[in-house]
Amino acid sequence: AQKITQTQPGMFVQEKEAVTLDCTYDTSDPSYGLFWYKQPSSGEMIFLIYQGSYDQQNATEGRYSLNFQKARKSANLVISASQLGDSAMYFCAMREYQGGTALIFGKGTTLSVSS
Amino acid sequence: ETGVTQSPTHLIKTRGQQVTLRCSSQSGHNTVSWYQQALGQGPQFIFQYYREEENGRGNFPPRFSGLQFPNYSSELNVNALELDDSALYLCASSTTGVNANTGELFFGEGSRLTVL
């Protein structure tokens, strides 16, 4: 079974609108972290936001927020006021702190922002 | 920019050859990990090095090997290249310090390998 599932291959949004990128995860480890990364065409993975499994509040970083619903095992990324520069691939990832050292990535969602 | 640099940025090899990819980690980071990203997929964990020792490995065969040097830079070696090894190889550095409890990784721009 996939540990990270991103069901949206592609999303389209207009400038200044908000967009939600979906991510569900599967783990039996009680201690884990969830990450979102942005990958522009240059290839570099850019860290956006982090949510720990014990964090009570949803994480926010500027225009990025993470809608963490632990019971549903979902960690959706919300981008407010989209900009043209937000066009990129977005990856959800998880680290299981008791299970190992790796980040486990989903297959990604391509976000296209138009003017 | 993350301060993680990789070389070469692009290279082409033929099946059966060997390749070495290099990575310089961000200043102050003592842990380096390598990921393989096939076209249209998310990155997959190859292995991680901490203090010059491999301390984690994904589901990759032994022909994928690595090194970490005293200055924390790293190499990824792939022997007997196969067509399916064509991918973007990403190096990431991290620290056991401030960000250790989050596991945040700082990635380089990758080395794009094409195997013909």
Side-chain angles (χ1 to χ4, degrees):
Chain A
Q2 287 190 7
K3 293 219 168 187
I4 296 287
T5 303
Q6 293 181 256
T7 57
Q8 306 155 314
M11 290 287 285
F12 298 88
V13 68
Q14 287 205 311
E15 261 187 309
K16 301 180 185 178
E17 290 184 349
V19 62
T20 298
L21 306 183
D22 294 342
C23 172
T24 58
Y25 61 92
D26 183 27
T27 182
S28 57
D29 192 331
S31 178
Y32 55 90
L34 297 158
F35 304 76
W36 278 91
Y37 281 83
K38 171 184 177 181
Q39 187 177 42
S41 56
S42 63
E44 183 177 353
M45 300 286 280
I46 301 168
F47 167 75
L48 297 178
I49 197 167
Y50 164 83
Q51 180 86 41
S53 57
Y54 296 119
D55 293 343
Q56 295 296 312
Q57 293 193 328
N58 287 343
T60 59
E61 290 285 349
R63 294 186 298 111
Y64 304 108
S65 60
L66 199 152
N67 184 2
F68 181 47
Q69 297 189 39
K70 194 170 183 177
R72 294 185 178 183
K73 294 190 174 180
S74 75
N76 298 339
L77 176 69
V78 180
I79 305 175
S80 63
S82 296
Q83 301 172 356
L84 294 178
D86 293 335
S87 295
M89 280 287 284
Y90 288 80
F91 290 95
C92 179
M94 176 174 66
R95 182 175 177 187
E96 296 168 308
Y97 292 117
Q98 294 183 11
T101 56
L103 276 187
I104 304 162
F105 286 84
K107 292 188 175 182
T109 295
T110 302
L111 177 64
S112 299
V113 182
S114 58
S115 56
Chain B
E1 289 195 6
T2 63
V4 179
T5 57
Q6 293 186 241
S7 63
T9 55
H10 295 81
L11 68 166
I12 300 172
K13 293 285 188 178
T14 56
R15 199 168 45 180
Q17 286 188 312
Q18 178 266 342
V19 67
T20 297
L21 308 178
R22 295 177 177 83
C23 172
S24 293
S25 58
Q26 185 178 105
S27 177
H29 285 183
N30 54 16
T31 302
V32 173
S33 51
W34 287 89
Y35 287 77
Q36 180 196 64
Q37 186 179 16
L39 197 63
Q41 301 293 316
Q44 286 201 309
F45 175 68
I46 303 174
F47 44 56
Q48 178 175 289
Y49 279 82
Y50 170 67
R51 293 186 176 179
E52 304 176 53
E53 297 283 336
E54 184 183 295
N55 74 337
R57 189 178 183 92
N59 189 24
F60 280 82
R63 60 189 185 85
F64 286 78
S65 63
L67 285 172
Q68 187 182 31
F69 300 100
N71 66 354
Y72 304 129
S73 66
S74 177
E75 287 183 354
L76 164 65
N77 299 289
V78 187
N79 294 322
L81 283 167
E82 301 177 358
L83 297 179
D84 285 348
D85 296 334
S86 295
L88 179 68
Y89 288 85
L90 293 162
C91 169
S93 73
S94 57
T95 179
T96 56
V98 173
N99 290 320
N101 63 332
T102 69
E104 176 185 344
L105 299 181
F106 298 83
F107 284 87
E109 292 194 1
S111 294
R112 189 167 296 280
L113 171 65
T114 301
V115 182
L116 303 176

